[in-house]
Amino acid sequence: MPSLFVLNSRGATLKDGKLVLTGVSPTAIVFADRPVRAAGHDLTSRVVEDWGNGTDNFAKDPPNATVSGFRKEGVSVADAVVVLKSPKLEGDKLTFDVDILEGDLAGADGPASVFIDIIGRPFTPLSFAGVARRTAWRGAYYRGAAYAGAAALGAAAYAAPYYAPRCGYYPYPPCY
């Protein structure tokens, strides 16, 4: 299940091929939308440890990410799209080597977030299945997702051969 991966921090700088997150949160958020609608989190330190593990990993295929930083006045945001490489966590400071694809963080002197949307490749250390497995064992898994997954498996076993009504995006109703 493709998922979004979010790192939050008190601030971010993007300069000379480096992205530095200061005051990075000790946990990273992972969530997915339809059809599973799952959410969970993992320790930021474990995310960094897992970066190069497995045969199909972020070290071999670096993910793209959007870095979004507030300006202290709180009415505007600076965004940059980057390729994340070689994370290094020292206390609450997380540094990445980056290739800047577009944008910059000029003037972003407030809180920042990094949105990584590459999770979902099967068998990667940060795949949704891997994160769900880890977070379920660690007790940080969103309860509704487990019930939704069980219901989906049960429904699939007894699926009637008919076409479901259209749902999902406007103008159709949500898929529940």
Side-chain angles (χ1 to χ4, degrees), residues 77-100:
V77 176
D79 292 318
V81 179
V82 298
V83 178
L84 297 176
K85 302 174 188 176
S86 308
K88 185 176 181 183
L89 182 64
E90 296 171 322
D92 68 349
K93 179 178 157 185
L94 179 57
T95 305
F96 291 94
D97 292 331
V98 296
D99 293 332
I100 301 170

Side-chain angles (χ1 to χ4, degrees), residues 29-164:
I29 301 165
V30 181
F31 65 93
D33 198 2
R34 295 181 178 115
V36 175
R37 293 187 183 189
H41 62 271
D42 200 356
L43 294 175
T44 301
S45 60
R46 289 189 186 139
V47 171
V48 172
E49 288 171 15
D50 287 345
W51 196 265
N53 292 342
T55 58
D56 183 20
N57 59 53
F58 286 152
K60 290 180 184 175
D61 186 12
N64 290 357
T66 297
V67 184
S68 184
F70 274 103
R71 292 186 173 91
K72 282 190 180 171
E73 79 273 359
V75 295
S76 60
V77 176
D79 292 318
V81 179
V82 298
V83 178
L84 297 176
K85 302 174 188 176
S86 308
K88 185 176 181 183
L89 182 64
E90 296 171 322
D92 68 349
K93 179 178 157 185
L94 179 57
T95 305
F96 291 94
D97 292 331
V98 296
D99 293 332
I100 301 170
L101 301 177
E102 65 181 60
D104 62 45
L105 296 180
D109 50 4
S113 296
V114 178
F115 301 89
I116 305 170
D117 64 356
I118 195 71
I119 294 178
R121 296 176 297 169
F123 307 113
T124 62
L126 295 174
S127 71
F128 181 79
V131 170
R133 224 178 5 261
R134 286 194 307 268
T135 55
W137 282 105
R138 294 175 186 153
Y141 195 72
Y142 174 60
R143 188 177 90 137
Y147 290 119
L153 288 174
Y158 298 103
Y162 71 93
Y163 295 101

